[in-house]
Amino acid sequence: MTASPPPVLEVDGLVKHFPIGSGLFGRSRDKVRAVDGVSFSVAKGEVLGLVGESGSGKTTVGRTVLRLDTPTDGAIRFLGNDITHLTRSQLRPFRRQMQLVFQDPFSSLNPRMRVDRIVGAPLAIHEPGMAAAERTQRVEDALAMVGLPRNSGERFPHEFSGGQRQRIGIARALMLRPELLVADEPVSALDVSIQAQVVKLLLDVRAKLGLTILFIAHDLAVVGHVSDRVAVMYLGKLVEIADTRTLFRDPRHPYTEALFSAAPVPDPTIRRQRIVLTGDIPSPINPPSGCAFRTRCRYALPACAAEVPPLREVAKGHLKACLRDDLELVPWQDAPRDPARPPAVATPAP
Amino acid sequence: MTADTAIAAHGGQTLRRSTRYRTLRRFTRHRLAMFGLVVILLLVLACAVGPSLVPFDQFQLNMRARFREPFAGAHLLGTDELGRDMLARLLMAGRISLTIGFCAMVIAVTVGTVVGTVAGFYGGAIGTVLMRFVDAVLCFPTIFLLLTLAALVSPGIVTITLIIALTAWMEVARVVQGQIRALRERDFAVAAEAMGAPDRWIMFKELLPNAVAPIVVAATLIIARAILLESYVSYLGYGIQPPVASWGNMLEKAQQYLTTAPWLALLPGLMITLAVSSFNFLGDGLRDALDPRSELS
């Protein structure tokens, strides 16, 4: 492993707290622990899926990793360079190698700019000396690559549908051939039929350009389809991370099981026992002691409140943050179970 | 996919046409705004070419033709206490008043936009200092500030314009600052940041074009106020100095003949009212037309 190139992205103990309200002297007493000690790395060409319900901090991870937010603590290494504390101007050379695709295709494109200027903006910023003809050519190429007509540049964003606008956003992100793409729920605002097209587009360009992608989503079916590895987040912490196949066949964390159970099955005749999580995700201002998930976990023991379970390796490349190793968890829908483990016994109802 | 894009492309073009068309329609249906626009265009046209069509010079004295009444004889709108042609003077005064209004607006909008954009974009210490400064300037009562300044500097077209601009830029700054602050949080601003765009790029290429509508509205209303302010100051004798005519100083001279020659006061008064209310109507109409929320009504 030592001879391999450094991972494209390495995140070590990332913490991001947002202070809320400010006291008399600008001092705030409370803070939102949006991200509370997250570590992972993404190898070159890999797609890492990041899942979790709303409020789990996955978007904050994406934004902090790109240094659109400054982390409270921890380290971010991009292509082996520590970018944790760089200033805006020091970050500029890295910006062209890391890009972002947004969730909302309506707010992510400037309504007053023509599409050719939107897509060409990265060129105008990073290669101001480029001849106009070459820039036009590259913009048209980028539009063609994402499956839009070459002359789309003459029009304004509001003239396109949601799926097309997402393609424009992807064309802009890929303009400078970045190394890393953070896709923050890139399809969750789209119709299901369009989602498939955009996912396919992302996988195509990834194969073509050798992109590394951090794919943030809450839709497990999409994440499972796109990702090589999946990391599951809950309340600002990683609770489980494994390669996609292993995670879906053999989840080891009760939260992962609950997420699997909540995903709709595309077959209305199937009746299954759903694990319904009661209540909302606890407040990240004042998280529960010990394991943050224990308040909603049906397997919780008194010991779970005592201390925060560390993320530990339970199999090669499979990490989880749960005290209990004795659980039999239900895999993804009807995925075949890992033969190494005994067959499922009926899980007790809560 | 190609069929889909073709349809969307077609639909898109109608959409673009229709949004612009709807805005235009909202504006043209606003009767007062259309009235304002027509009056302003007529005033500008009259003041621009009118003086060369009137057979009298604005400074030409004629002691044998003093206090001639309007609509009788050679002087269409009569003559003043020195026998000068009222129409020629009104139009020349209009040139000055409108020019001052327009120039003061341009300066106020430029300063206000830059201050507001910088304050809204950077926020924090820079934004707070700038906006508190704006608040501090707003605290001065405009008229007294205007009179004090006008008394201190030698009056003239340029100084009056500058002084009026000085008292008018703050509200543009506040409007722009609010807009920029809200726009900054939008994803396209984050996208520009993620591209590594310089601050100037984000401020002036990404954010500002989205704040044009309220600036245009504020600009129109500033012209109205600038014309009014110029009249005030000139009326009180600190503004444009005779013999150069402005609507304000014509009014001032006329007050002693109010009973004997009321047209001397009525005519410039009418011009001021007409110009100011037209710009106000225009501003109101623009505000209604450019506000997407009024789509519903």
Side-chain angles (χ1 to χ4, degrees):
Chain A
M1 280 302 275
T2 45
S4 60
V8 169
L9 179 67
E10 221 179 336
V11 177
D12 195 6
L14 185 70
V15 176
K16 177 65 189 176
H17 292 169
F18 292 102
I20 44 171
S22 50
L24 190 55
F25 300 105
R27 281 272 186 197
S28 60
R29 289 176 296 134
D30 288 328
K31 55 196 180 224
V32 177
R33 299 160 190 274
V35 180
D36 214 6
V38 165
S39 304
F40 62 86
S41 70
V42 196
K44 180 158 173 57
E46 187 185 32
V47 179
L48 177 70
L50 191 58
V51 292
E53 67 195 291
S54 307
S56 59
K58 47 195 197 308
T59 295
T60 309
V61 168
R63 291 185 51 136
T64 314
V65 151
L66 291 178
R67 280 301 319 278
L68 294 169
D69 273 326
T70 306
T72 310
D73 197 11
I76 305 160
R77 277 182 294 276
F78 177 67
L79 295 170
N81 305 290
D82 189 337
I83 60 166
T84 321
H85 301 292
L86 297 189
T87 62
R88 288 173 52 126
S89 52
Q90 287 171 323
L91 277 167
R92 206 150 280 150
F94 293 102
R95 291 268 179 235
R96 56 182 304 163
Q97 299 186 69
M98 43 200 230
Q99 275 302 314
L100 178 61
V101 175
F102 291 86
Q103 171 174 15
D104 178 4
F106 290 90
S107 129
S108 62
L109 306 178
N110 190 339
R112 300 272 166 181
M113 263 195 195
R114 260 170 49 164
V115 167
D116 52 358
R117 288 193 53 211
I118 292 177
V119 175
L123 287 179
I125 291 164
H126 287 282
E127 303 191 11
M130 184 182 280
E134 191 190 345
R135 191 177 299 165
T136 312
Q137 184 62 39
R138 299 247 327 239
V139 168
E140 287 185 359
D141 290 347
L143 289 171
M145 183 170 71
V146 297
L148 289 170
R150 297 187 83 88
N151 63 357
S152 308
E154 297 161 13
R155 292 190 263 137
F156 282 89
H158 69 254
E159 301 173 45
F160 294 87
S161 68
Q164 291 173 320
R165 293 173 63 120
Q166 203 58 306
R167 287 169 188 272
I168 295 170
I170 293 171
R172 169 178 62 188
L174 297 179
M175 195 72 232
L176 294 170
R177 300 286 144 99
E179 198 68 42
L180 172 71
L181 190 69
V182 173
D184 185 5
E185 309 236 14
V187 297
S188 52
L190 306 175
D191 288 346
V192 176
S193 58
I194 309 292
Q195 285 191 0
Q197 293 178 8
V198 172
V199 165
K200 184 172 179 301
L201 169 67
L202 276 174
L203 290 176
D204 285 351
V205 293
R206 174 221 177 183
K208 206 180 292 176
L209 306 178
L211 271 178
T212 307
I213 302 179
L214 179 62
F215 192 92
I216 301 168
H218 58 253
D219 185 334
L220 282 157
V222 173
V223 170
H225 182 65
V226 173
S227 316
D228 301 315
R229 276 198 306 147
V230 176
V232 182
M233 264 188 97
Y234 186 79
L235 212 62
K237 290 191 169 68
L238 284 188
V239 294
E240 187 167 8
I241 181 166
D243 69 81
T244 308
R245 185 178 289 252
T246 312
L247 186 89
F248 277 60
R249 279 188 182 171
D250 184 20
R252 297 289 183 94
H253 194 285
Y255 181 59
T256 314
E257 180 193 41
L259 280 183
F260 284 172
S261 170
V265 180
D267 182 351
T269 62
I270 291 181
R271 292 268 171 274
R272 23 169 219 154
Q273 191 194 352
R274 295 272 304 267
I275 303 164
V276 179
L277 289 183
T278 48
D280 282 332
I281 192 163
S283 161
I285 299 166
N286 191 11
S289 69
C291 171
F293 186 57
R294 72 180 163 83
T295 53
R296 298 164 84 194
C297 179
R298 53 202 213 132
Y299 308 109
L301 299 173
C304 293
E307 59 180 309
V308 181
L311 195 64
R312 61 199 164 87
E313 192 157 31
V314 289
K316 186 167 167 29
H318 191 160
L319 286 79
K320 74 158 178 179
C322 178
L323 282 180
R324 299 192 59 172
D325 289 326
D326 55 331
L327 300 175
E328 264 322 313
L329 300 178
V330 182
W332 171 253
Q333 301 187 359
D334 49 2
R337 182 159 276 277
D338 186 345
R341 283 167 65 87
V345 281
T347 39
Chain B
M1 181 57 223
T2 39
D4 167 54
T5 37
I7 291 165
H10 180 73
Q13 246 157 34
T14 20
L15 180 70
R16 169 166 56 172
R17 206 172 300 143
S18 66
T19 34
R20 280 192 190 162
Y21 177 72
R22 271 206 299 274
T23 305
L24 192 67
R25 220 169 112 92
R26 271 204 298 276
F27 182 68
T28 51
R29 276 202 172 170
H30 200 291
R31 290 208 187 120
L32 282 176
M34 289 312 288
F35 167 80
L37 184 67
V38 171
V39 170
I40 291 165
L41 289 178
L42 286 177
L43 274 179
V44 169
L45 190 73
C47 293
V49 302
S52 50
L53 301 180
V54 178
F56 300 98
D57 181 79
Q58 59 158 336
F59 298 122
Q60 188 187 321
L61 308 181
N62 186 348
M63 285 306 167
R64 277 170 299 176
R66 299 167 66 206
F67 298 117
R68 287 279 157 83
E69 285 181 21
F71 309 118
H75 300 277
L76 188 60
L77 292 180
T79 59
D80 67 3
E81 73 279 5
L82 297 174
R84 294 175 294 195
D85 184 66
M86 278 298 279
L87 182 59
R89 278 181 69 73
L90 277 176
L91 294 178
M92 288 310 288
R95 273 190 187 177
I96 286 174
S97 294
L98 291 176
T99 309
I100 289 179
F102 186 79
C103 293
M105 179 275 284
V106 169
I107 297 171
V109 166
T110 310
V111 174
T113 302
V114 170
V115 171
T117 307
V118 170
F121 182 79
Y122 288 106
I126 299 179
T128 310
V129 168
L130 281 176
M131 292 322 285
R132 289 299 80 78
F133 177 67
V134 168
D135 290 344
V137 181
L138 268 175
C139 285
F140 289 108
T142 311
I143 299 299
F144 293 110
L145 182 67
L146 206 63
L147 290 179
T148 317
L149 286 172
L152 287 176
V153 299
S154 62
I157 294 180
V158 177
T159 49
I160 292 297
T161 307
L162 287 177
I163 290 171
I164 291 173
L166 194 71
T167 62
W169 61 273
M170 295 86 69
E171 62 189 271
V172 182
R174 297 185 79 151
V175 168
V176 172
Q177 188 251 1
Q179 292 278 320
I180 296 290
R181 252 180 82 172
L183 289 167
R184 232 215 120 153
E185 303 300 318
R186 297 270 293 274
D187 279 349
F188 65 82
V190 178
E193 173 89 44
M195 271 184 247
D199 295 352
R200 260 174 304 117
W201 174 292
I202 303 179
M203 281 190 270
F204 296 108
K205 289 203 169 163
E206 302 275 354
L207 302 181
L208 202 53
N210 285 285
V212 164
I215 297 177
V216 168
V217 174
T220 323
L221 300 178
I222 285 181
I223 297 189
R225 230 185 45 194
I227 291 174
L228 205 56
L229 282 177
E230 182 273 317
S231 307
Y232 278 154
V233 181
S234 297
Y235 177 79
L236 293 171
Y238 293 103
I240 306 301
Q241 298 300 309
V244 177
S246 92
W247 290 335
N249 69 23
M250 287 174 75
L251 207 54
E252 193 256 322
K253 278 272 172 295
Q255 59 183 337
Q256 45 190 310
Y257 310 108
L258 210 53
T259 45
T260 51
W263 66 90
L264 294 188
L266 282 177
L267 288 172
L270 194 68
M271 295 300 271
I272 293 171
T273 312
L274 214 55
V276 170
S277 47
S278 296
F279 275 109
N280 278 328
F281 292 151
L282 183 67
D284 283 349
L286 282 174
R287 171 155 48 209
D288 292 348
L290 293 171
D291 183 2
R293 273 170 302 181
S294 57
E295 195 97 339
L296 305 167
S297 56

